[in-house]
Amino acid sequence: MTVDIGEKLTPLPYRIAVLPGDGIGPEVTNEAVRLLHTVSSLDPALSFEVETLPWNAEYYLERGRMMPPDGLEILREFDAVFLGAVGDKRVPDHVALRQLIFAIRQGFDQYVNLRPVRLLRGAETPLNSKTTSDIDMIFVRENSEGEYSGVGTIDFAGTENEVANQTSIFSRRGVERVIRFAFELARSQQRPLQSISKGNALNYSGVLWDTIFDEVRQNYLDVPSENLLVDAAAYHMVKTPERFGVVVASNLFGDILTDLGAALAGGLGFAASANLCPSREFPSMFEPVHGSAPDIAGRHMANPMASFWAVGMMMTDLGYPDWEQRILDAIEVVLEAPTPRTPDLGGTSTTTQVTDAVIRALESRWGASH
Ligand code: NAI
Ligand code: MG
């Protein structure tokens, strides 16, 4: 993106809202912002204006809410949102998540949660016989309704007859748009598609999901596709991960299977995600999948790789997929060396040392002399 000022082309900055959050959230987002500035220093066509918004547990304890009443209007002015992680024992988790993360995902119609499950070179999988070419899939998780709609009741609370009723909402529009998004992605990447459901037991929501999958599939007969029951999918992900390409799943099933995927692909330190608003009416949000990790917060030992991958996904969304690839290449260069490694990968290096190495790898490959 450039603007003509006199005879020189000057890049117009992308405006990025950064929500560092709690715990290791600020530690990894600091490093992600350093990486972002490295990208802009290496690419004359790119510049970023980063604004940090302190909407976290401290903010909640002072003001009784996770973000200001006009928080979504403030965020709307940005090109993208980058989130660290929220979670602090002084604030109930369901309050922090609902008032910030779910409020943004739902308020900005970010109905696609994109989560790559890909074993990077140099990362370790617990599946001994599998390699980087076997573990390479991408999840399209429904992000706006389904089992996490938040609808339900508790009757006869505190009595012997207490009954919780948690309602899943599956709308034709909601299911169709996410399956269509997944088919488009599979077609553009020339990969097979798996649709995950449980139509044999969930006789309303599962059946509707499968019916819509069959309808949409008729428009994508060039894409090899199959329907898997969620329990069978968990089994196959471990036994034959190479079977999977683009995987579309409801909110709950996608949540669970992507954590299984994170374990297969080297751990939470690598898991990144994008909450996409495909219509582009609102900004999308990029985040590492992990939480605020209070057990290691403040000790400079958080693995920043997931945040770097999330920066890469943001670059793709802004229109620069080459930069996601370059960031991933730099991560792999660092992982293939014996050091630096954060303690979750068996090393003793700090978050900053790992960042320095990734930045060096990017600069040595894409710096001015190349
Ligand atoms: P967690 O992801 O914060 O931590 C789980 C385990 O993984 C911990 O042992 C932690 O030290 C380790 N870990 C996580 N990320 C790591 C990293 N980058 N480098 C090295 N080790 C890492 O999940 P947990 O403990 O269940 O939740 C802690 C808090 O985070 C809770 O308040 C929870 O609600 C919140 N949370 C927030 C999320 C978000 O903001 N998107 C997502 C998940 C949890
Ligand atoms: Mg999860």
Side-chain angles (χ1 to χ4, degrees), residues 84-357:
V86 292
D88 182 303
K89 61 177 183 332
R90 296 169 299 169
V91 180
D93 274 342
H94 67 274
V95 171
L97 260 70
R98 281 248 167 240
Q99 286 196 11
L100 192 73
I101 300 182
F102 288 166
I104 297 170
R105 287 177 180 170
Q106 287 171 1
F108 284 173
D109 206 19
Q110 295 168 344
Y111 67 85
V112 167
N113 187 214
L114 205 60
R115 293 196 181 185
V117 171
R118 174 168 153 202
L119 182 66
L120 298 177
R121 286 196 313 274
E124 265 179 47
T125 175
L127 304 181
N128 292 332
S129 63
K130 302 297 178 187
T131 64
T132 49
S133 61
D134 298 319
I135 301 173
D136 183 4
M137 59 195 99
I138 184 152
F139 272 78
V140 175
R141 167 185 167 198
E142 206 293 319
N143 211 24
S144 66
E145 53 171 41
E147 305 87 344
Y148 293 178
S149 302
V151 179
T153 52
I154 291 196
D155 294 332
F156 313 116
T159 73
E160 265 183 24
N161 297 323
E162 186 162 10
V163 177
N165 187 332
Q166 185 91 40
T167 305
S168 297
I169 307 280
F170 284 76
S171 67
R172 171 169 278 277
R173 175 173 172 268
V175 174
E176 188 178 325
R177 65 184 184 176
V178 78
I179 292 179
R180 201 171 280 284
F181 181 96
F183 266 111
E184 289 292 331
L185 185 66
R187 177 180 273 168
S188 73
Q189 298 191 348
Q190 299 192 310
R191 308 183 78 186
L193 178 141
Q194 284 77 28
S195 169
I196 309 298
S197 98
K198 188 71 183 172
N200 55 355
L202 299 174
N203 51 337
Y204 299 107
S205 60
V207 169
L208 181 68
W209 180 283
D210 290 346
T211 302
I212 294 172
F213 169 66
D214 275 333
E215 289 170 12
V216 175
R217 169 155 58 173
Q218 301 312 314
N219 299 310
Y220 297 89
L221 294 173
D222 53 312
V223 176
S225 63
E226 61 178 334
N227 187 355
L228 292 176
L229 294 170
V230 62
D231 41 354
Y235 179 85
H236 291 306
M237 274 177 71
V238 173
K239 295 292 266 189
T240 50
E242 61 276 14
R243 171 180 186 144
F244 293 83
V246 174
V247 191
V248 61
S250 64
N251 217 329
L252 170 69
F253 293 163
D255 192 8
I256 297 170
L257 291 181
T258 49
D259 266 27
L260 171 63
L264 301 182
L268 273 177
F270 295 108
S273 88
N275 304 278
L276 300 179
C277 169
S279 71
R280 298 192 173 268
E281 188 183 348
F282 304 101
S284 294
M285 178 163 70
F286 303 84
E287 52 172 330
V289 168
H290 64 74
S292 58
D295 52 335
I296 59 165
R299 294 165 62 193
H300 313 290
M301 58 197 270
N303 184 345
M305 297 300 200
S307 288
F308 298 162
W309 199 336
V311 169
M313 296 180 82
M314 183 167 82
M315 296 309 302
T316 293
D317 187 63
L318 293 174
Y320 306 90
D322 287 356
W323 273 111
E324 178 173 5
Q325 196 48 55
R326 290 169 188 172
I327 290 169
L328 287 176
D329 288 345
I331 292 174
E332 288 183 321
V333 165
V334 173
L335 286 174
E336 284 183 308
T339 60
R341 261 169 211 278
T342 42
D344 56 309
L345 303 180
T348 55
S349 310
T350 64
T351 310
T352 305
Q353 286 169 331
V354 171
T355 311
D356 291 344

